[in-house]
Amino acid sequence: MKFATKAIHAGVEPDPTTGAIMTPIYQTSTYVQESPGKHKGYEYARTQNPTRTVLQNNLAALENGKHGICYASGLAATDAILKLFKPGDEIIASNDLYGGTYRIMVRVFQELGLKFKFIGLENPSALESAITPATKMVWIETPTNPLLRIVDIAAIAAITKAKNTLLVVDNTFASPYLQNPLDLGADIVLHSVTKYLGGHSDTVMGAIVLNDDEITKRLEFIQNACGAVPGPQDCFLVLRGIKTLHLRMQRHCENALKIAHYLSQHPKVGKVNYPGLENHPQHELAKRQMRGFGGMVSFELQGDSLPEAVRVMESFKVFSLGESLGGVESLCTHPASMTHASIPKEEREKNGLKDTLIRLSVGVEDVEDLIADLEQAIG
């Protein structure tokens, strides 16, 4: 199947009892057994749920993977992956990444004995010099959050495979519509399903997709033992959201490119970060690796004034100031005080994340209205 057909049909069958075309919400905590240990494949809803099973199969198909596992949130999925390792194991992560990922690595798992290195991975040679025999996993985002840098997945995968090291790619910003890291050599793909996959700002969820049977068994054990599962209502909402993923992503990409061009020509705007711009340092890599450039744009104002950046964010009428991204409505975020506040200021600035950076999640509204809102807010 091609992508749009998979989004609507992969893993989804009419309900065998009623013929309902939409997957039912199996709102139950337990399942009746015919005899002790004799059941229809479902025992207890923390372990399995039929609505969740359908969503997991659908997500696996979208990422061209074998196994899908859904979690209560994106960070719950991150937590499960980090639990694959033991004290003394080293993990290398890109230094431009979601603040919550940094927080769980440094404030939780580093305290438990895991070791972390945060380095720029836009040049794969940086990984060659940083990787050691203790390195068990490499973690990348691409495009990165919030500076929209692009990491060469295939080049990084060639290094990790040679070193027998796991490669995890957070594919949240791209979504499976734009990029499939497993096809490029990654071992595990992670999503904050809350974002583009759900697409309507009405659910919180995470997901992992992979091909390895043994790692899947370990992750399923960890999930059942620790309990980070999504509810069936949320699984239903995400299944519904995915059916329009391809349509939404097309509009997100179209609108974001127009807005990036508009901002890059605005006299009061300084640097604009968007991989679809030809002056983006990894524009050609993005063209090779992705099928579009996504709906995320970040920018700085001329003069680098925090009060002026705050004034702009307070002035929006169509863009809503709030955390998260990937919904049909356009959002504006101040990473330094919101999504990335858990990263120390000196670390943020060393990696290029200024306190004046504004991040836009460009929605699917009429782009003329979005540009008019930027015009009146920036002035």
Side-chain angles (χ1 to χ4, degrees), residues 73 145 205 230 240 261 265 303 311 316 331 357 361:
S73 69
N145 180 5
M205 194 185 299
R240 184 181 66 167
H261 279 299
Q265 295 162 9
R311 184 200 65 76
F316 283 123
L331 290 175
L357 185 81
S361 173

Side-chain angles (χ1 to χ4, degrees), residues 26 70 118 139 143 147 163 167 180-181 191 199 202 207 271 350 361:
Y26 286 89
C70 288
F118 298 94
W139 183 289
L147 297 174
K163 300 289 187 179
L167 174 58
N180 299 117
H191 284 280
D202 56 7
K271 186 177 182 183
K350 185 172 71 175
S361 173

Side-chain angles (χ1 to χ4, degrees), residues 3 16 18 27 65 93 149 155 158 162 164 199 217 229 277 309 319 337:
F3 189 91
T18 65
Q27 195 72 52
R149 293 167 177 157
N164 197 29
K217 287 178 185 176
V229 297
L277 294 176
F319 283 88
S337 66

Side-chain angles (χ1 to χ4, degrees), residues 133-144:
T135 307
K136 303 300 181 186
M137 179 175 74
V138 174
W139 183 289
I140 62 175
E141 294 177 5
T142 182
T144 62

Side-chain angles (χ1 to χ4, degrees), residues 44-91:
Y44 186 62
R46 185 187 68 250
T47 313
Q48 326 99 333
N49 176 280
T51 315
R52 193 165 97 218
T53 298
V54 172
L55 174 58
Q56 290 176 158
N57 292 340
N58 182 248
L59 287 172
L62 294 184
E63 282 289 11
N64 300 326
K66 188 176 179 183
H67 306 287
I69 309 173
C70 288
Y71 292 84
S73 69
L75 279 168
T78 301
D79 176 79
I81 294 172
L82 293 173
K83 284 173 179 168
L84 293 170
F85 304 99
K86 62 182 185 299
D89 288 345
E90 179 182 85
I91 293 162

Side-chain angles (χ1 to χ4, degrees), residues 34 65-66 68 79 88 111 114 121 125 131 154 161 178 203-204 224 342 363:
E34 297 175 33
K66 188 176 179 183
D79 176 79
E111 296 288 321
L114 296 189
L121 291 174
S125 64
I131 203 165
K161 284 201 180 338
L178 298 179
T203 187
V204 173
N224 190 49
S342 57

Side-chain angles (χ1 to χ4, degrees), residues 19 22 34 38 136 140-141 291 317 327 334 355 365:
M22 297 301 292
E34 297 175 33
K38 187 179 180 182
K136 303 300 181 186
I140 62 175
E141 294 177 5
R291 292 182 284 271
K317 293 180 170 38
H334 181 235
D355 281 354
E365 301 95 338

